[in-house]
CSV table of all heavy atoms in Angstrom, one decimal:
chain,number,residue,atom,x,y,z
A,235,ASP,N,-62.1,14.5,19.3
A,235,ASP,CA,-61.0,14.6,18.4
A,235,ASP,C,-61.4,14.0,17.0
A,235,ASP,O,-61.1,14.6,16.0
A,235,ASP,CB,-59.8,13.9,18.9
A,235,ASP,CG,-58.6,14.0,18.0
A,235,ASP,OD1,-58.1,15.2,17.8
A,235,ASP,OD2,-58.1,13.0,17.5
A,236,GLN,N,-62.1,12.9,17.0
A,236,GLN,CA,-62.5,12.2,15.7
A,236,GLN,C,-63.5,13.1,15.0
A,236,GLN,O,-63.5,13.3,13.8
A,236,GLN,CB,-63.1,10.8,16.0
A,236,GLN,CG,-62.1,9.8,16.5
A,236,GLN,CD,-61.1,9.5,15.4
A,236,GLN,OE1,-61.3,9.7,14.2
A,236,GLN,NE2,-60.0,8.9,15.8
A,237,ALA,N,-64.5,13.7,15.8
A,237,ALA,CA,-65.5,14.6,15.1
A,237,ALA,C,-64.7,15.8,14.6
A,237,ALA,O,-65.1,16.3,13.5
A,237,ALA,CB,-66.5,15.0,16.1
A,238,ASP,N,-63.8,16.3,15.3
A,238,ASP,CA,-63.0,17.5,14.9
A,238,ASP,C,-62.3,17.2,13.6
A,238,ASP,O,-62.2,18.0,12.7
A,238,ASP,CB,-62.0,17.8,16.0
A,238,ASP,CG,-61.6,19.3,16.0
A,238,ASP,OD1,-62.3,20.1,15.3
A,238,ASP,OD2,-60.7,19.7,16.8
A,239,ARG,N,-61.7,16.0,13.5
A,239,ARG,CA,-61.0,15.6,12.3
A,239,ARG,C,-61.9,15.5,11.1
A,239,ARG,O,-61.5,15.8,10.0
A,239,ARG,CB,-60.2,14.3,12.5
A,239,ARG,CG,-59.0,14.5,13.4
A,239,ARG,CD,-58.4,13.2,13.8
A,239,ARG,NE,-57.1,13.5,14.6
A,239,ARG,CZ,-55.9,13.5,14.0
A,239,ARG,NH1,-55.8,13.4,12.7
A,239,ARG,NH2,-54.8,13.8,14.8
A,240,MET,N,-63.1,14.9,11.4
A,240,MET,CA,-64.1,14.8,10.3
A,240,MET,C,-64.4,16.1,9.7
A,240,MET,O,-64.6,16.3,8.5
A,240,MET,CB,-65.3,14.0,10.8
A,240,MET,CG,-65.0,12.6,11.1
A,240,MET,SD,-66.4,11.9,12.2
A,240,MET,CE,-67.7,11.8,11.0
A,241,ILE,N,-64.6,17.1,10.6
A,241,ILE,CA,-64.9,18.5,10.2
A,241,ILE,C,-63.8,19.1,9.4
A,241,ILE,O,-64.0,19.6,8.3
A,241,ILE,CB,-65.2,19.4,11.4
A,241,ILE,CG1,-66.5,18.9,12.1
A,241,ILE,CG2,-65.4,20.8,11.0
A,241,ILE,CD1,-66.8,19.5,13.4
A,242,ARG,N,-62.5,19.0,9.9
A,242,ARG,CA,-61.4,19.6,9.2
A,242,ARG,C,-61.1,18.9,7.9
A,242,ARG,O,-60.5,19.6,7.0
A,242,ARG,CB,-60.1,19.5,10.1
A,242,ARG,CG,-60.3,20.3,11.4
A,242,ARG,CD,-58.9,20.7,12.0
A,242,ARG,NE,-58.1,19.5,12.2
A,242,ARG,CZ,-58.1,18.8,13.3
A,242,ARG,NH1,-58.9,19.1,14.3
A,242,ARG,NH2,-57.3,17.7,13.5
A,243,GLU,N,-61.4,17.7,7.8
A,243,GLU,CA,-61.2,17.0,6.5
A,243,GLU,C,-62.3,17.2,5.5
A,243,GLU,O,-62.2,16.7,4.4
A,243,GLU,CB,-61.0,15.5,6.7
A,243,GLU,CG,-59.7,15.2,7.5
A,243,GLU,CD,-59.4,13.7,7.7
A,243,GLU,OE1,-60.2,12.9,7.1
A,243,GLU,OE2,-58.5,13.3,8.4
A,244,GLY,N,-63.3,18.0,5.9
A,244,GLY,CA,-64.3,18.3,4.9
A,244,GLY,C,-65.3,17.2,4.6
A,244,GLY,O,-65.8,17.2,3.4
A,245,MET,N,-65.5,16.3,5.5
A,245,MET,CA,-66.5,15.2,5.2
A,245,MET,C,-67.9,15.8,5.1
A,245,MET,O,-68.2,16.8,5.7
A,245,MET,CB,-66.4,14.2,6.3
A,245,MET,CG,-65.1,13.4,6.4
A,245,MET,SD,-65.0,12.1,7.5
A,245,MET,CE,-66.0,10.9,6.7
A,246,PRO,N,-68.7,15.1,4.3
A,246,PRO,CA,-70.1,15.6,4.0
A,246,PRO,C,-70.9,15.8,5.3
A,246,PRO,O,-70.6,15.1,6.3
A,246,PRO,CB,-70.7,14.6,3.1
A,246,PRO,CG,-69.6,14.0,2.4
A,246,PRO,CD,-68.4,14.0,3.4
A,247,SER,N,-71.8,16.7,5.4
A,247,SER,CA,-72.5,17.0,6.6
A,247,SER,C,-73.3,15.9,7.2
A,247,SER,O,-73.6,15.8,8.4
A,247,SER,CB,-73.5,18.2,6.3
A,247,SER,OG,-74.4,17.9,5.3
A,248,LYS,N,-73.7,14.9,6.3
A,248,LYS,CA,-74.5,13.8,6.8
A,248,LYS,C,-73.6,12.9,7.8
A,248,LYS,O,-74.2,12.2,8.6
A,248,LYS,CB,-74.9,12.9,5.6
A,248,LYS,CG,-73.8,12.3,4.8
A,248,LYS,CD,-74.3,11.5,3.6
A,248,LYS,CE,-73.2,11.0,2.8
A,248,LYS,NZ,-73.7,10.2,1.6
A,249,TRP,N,-72.3,13.1,7.8
A,249,TRP,CA,-71.5,12.3,8.7
A,249,TRP,C,-71.6,12.8,10.1
A,249,TRP,O,-71.1,12.2,11.1
A,249,TRP,CB,-70.1,12.3,8.2
A,249,TRP,CG,-69.8,11.3,7.1
A,249,TRP,CD1,-69.9,11.6,5.8
A,249,TRP,CD2,-69.6,9.9,7.2
A,249,TRP,NE1,-69.7,10.4,5.0
A,249,TRP,CE2,-69.4,9.4,5.9
A,249,TRP,CE3,-69.4,9.1,8.3
A,249,TRP,CZ2,-69.2,8.1,5.7
A,249,TRP,CZ3,-69.1,7.7,8.1
A,249,TRP,CH2,-69.0,7.2,6.8
Side-chain angles (χ1 to χ4, degrees):
D235 185 63
Q236 290 293 341
D238 209 7
R239 287 171 175 268
M240 292 165 68
I241 293 170
R242 295 201 307 269
E243 291 181 8
M245 296 185 72
S247 60
K248 61 184 178 181
W249 282 93

